[in-house]
Amino acid sequence: WIMPNEYDLENVVADISPTPLLLIHSKEDTVVEYMHVERLLKRAKEPKQLLKYTGSHISQNEKKYAGTV
């Protein structure tokens, strides 16, 4: 499964600034590889933050982090 180019965040992530950007991802995600969030983080401008968690893609961490953002 491949996302169409018009939805490729790598092409536009730098344009989000100065709006704060929060990326949330797990190294254990088997649906979206972790290297994708690393590439987005590298291209994004400040302010930016990466929240790493342990678990699968859209895991039970939804409950754990509810209300923290």
Side-chain angles (χ1 to χ4, degrees):
W1 183 76
I2 298 175
M3 184 70 81
N5 284 340
E6 62 265 21
Y7 299 109
D8 188 352
L9 289 177
E10 285 191 36
N11 294 332
V12 297
V13 70
D15 299 334
I16 294 171
S17 181
T19 302
L21 175 65
L22 175 62
L23 299 167
I24 304 172
H25 204 80
S26 170
K27 286 189 174 185
E28 297 173 6
D29 190 330
T30 58
V31 177
V32 179
E33 292 180 48
Y34 193 79
M35 65 97 168
H36 291 290
V37 77
E38 292 176 316
R39 289 167 62 173
L40 286 175
L41 191 65
K42 184 176 180 178
R43 290 182 178 220
K45 296 179 183 174
E46 296 290 344
K48 61 185 177 180
Q49 183 175 355
L50 173 60
L51 173 62
K52 302 175 205 171
Y53 69 92
T54 303
S56 61
H57 185 79
I58 309 175
S59 70
Q60 292 187 11
N61 284 303
E62 293 172 336
K63 295 175 186 174
K64 180 179 178 180
Y65 292 110
T68 62
V69 179

